Amino acid sequence: MSRRSLLITGGAGFIGSHVVRLFVNKYPDYTIVNLDKLTYAGNLENLKDVDSKPNYHFEKGDILDVEFLASVFKKYSIDGVIHLAAESHVDRSLHNPAEFATTNIIGTLHLLNVAQTIWNNDFQGKLFYHISTDEVYGSAENGSFFTEETHIDPMSPYSASKAGSDHFVKAFGNSYKLPVRISRCSNNYGPYHFPEKLIPLMINNIINNKPLPVYGKGENIRDWLFVVDHARAIDEIFHKGKDGEVYNIGGNNEWKNIDLVKFLCYLMDKKLGREEGTSANLITYVKDRPGHDLRYAIDASKLIAETGWRPSVTFEEGLEKTVDWYLANRQWLNNVTSGEYMKYYTGMYQNR
Ligand code: NAD
Ligand code: TYD
């Protein structure tokens, strides 16, 4: 196995922390550099099981800061990038689309520019791998699935900003021959998921006996994948994928929101020793999200055919692992919901 020096952006976030963990543990000969701004969504607590490993390095900083990016590339002789840093929540994007355009499009453009400049057109052995989302395809008609050829048709400011970044990645591959890959995954769930997203929000509210806000009639459909399986797919694509290609990632696991929330209620009543039906009484239908995509559904057959990747757990197994993790890590939940860790990190890194 050749030595590599990998820059993983957004490694303190939900998916990024699982990618960092997998690469640090599986590739002890690689240098793994986690570059993260530590926004509200970034939390070094997510990585405390790997942060003392000799092949792990953390750099706090912003993908919008070109000089900082260039200094990190030089310091570690970076030869590969896995780019996850982004603003990631659709609801937040509806309130502040400009922030999403800036971080997700301009931030990605800066990272591409720095990679191209520092690598100085010597792209042998180099790779820029961009982590995108199935949401760039818009909403899927009943019975149809997103393939890599599906027309890009983003519907929210979040997905529009991710589509914009995808286009720039493709353009750098086409115009400058930068070796690029893109993957587009369906909705993830699992440990370390910030409790603003559906599954951890519902788990947190069930624990605390708070209302469970279901948007509209709860009929929207999402295709859920356990986050560890996303990280495993990223590993496969990084090592076995082809330059210039797009790969869809998904577990063929569609759920209507309301069915998923009811299933979670059932599971958590059992775990918490509550009478069946207790948590479901907390379900509250609220005003729908504007422009709410009805359905996402991924066709991952290209990834499966080229790499042999398959999900390692069923949804039932993954959801149970997730619930167990949140119940065993209530302090983590309390910290991220109280903002305690934000205060801590602001103090700790106030010089940057
Ligand atoms: P997240 O919000 O949990 O984490 C994002 C990370 O990026 C955080 O650690 C944050 O501090 C960091 N970050 C934000 N702005 C930054 C900046 N300017 N400079 C440096 N770091 C910055 O997001 P996530 O759910 O882990 O998603 C990671 C990536 O995967 C995103 O690109 C997202 O679009 C994509 N994705 C997410 C899902 C999902 O279900 N969550 C599905 C498919 C694809
Ligand atoms: P979310 O986790 O925000 O992911 P995305 O919008 O990127 O798919 O939402 C998943 C689904 O759950 C989506 O259809 C919106 C819905 N939802 C609710 O019904 N209530 C909530 O409180 C949240 C956060 C989401």
Side-chain angles (χ1 to χ4, degrees), residues 7-11 33-39 59-70 72-73 81-87 99-115 128 130 162 165 352:
L7 178 66
I8 301 181
T9 70
V33 183
N34 170 17
L35 184 159
D36 199 296
K37 186 182 170 185
L38 299 181
T39 67
E59 294 284 343
K60 181 178 187 296
D62 195 329
I63 53 167
L64 292 163
D65 182 345
V66 174
E67 280 180 24
F68 168 69
L69 292 179
V72 171
F73 267 73
V81 177
I82 304 181
H83 174 40
L84 298 106
E87 289 295 336
E99 189 182 14
F100 278 65
T102 307
T103 299
N104 296 358
I105 303 178
I106 306 298
T108 302
L109 178 55
H110 284 338
L111 201 55
L112 285 161
N113 258 323
V114 169
F128 188 107
H130 176 60
K162 291 297 290 187
S165 60
R352 252 211 78 82

Side-chain angles (χ1 to χ4, degrees), residues 88-91 133-135 156 158 187-188 193-202 205 212-216 218-224 257-258 260-261 284 286-289 292-294 296:
S88 66
H89 189 34
V90 174
D91 292 330
T133 165
D134 64 350
E135 301 192 28
S156 74
Y158 163 64
N187 286 63
N188 284 213
H193 205 183
F194 196 83
E196 64 182 355
K197 308 276 171 65
L198 180 74
I199 290 181
L201 182 142
M202 295 295 168
N205 287 12
L212 308 178
V214 172
Y215 297 168
E219 305 225 306
N220 303 67
I221 294 169
R222 296 292 182 265
D223 183 356
W224 294 96
N257 290 341
I258 187 62
L260 169 49
V261 172
T284 310
V286 299
K287 193 166 168 281
D288 207 352
R289 172 188 282 171
H292 195 172
D293 284 339
L294 184 59
Y296 302 142

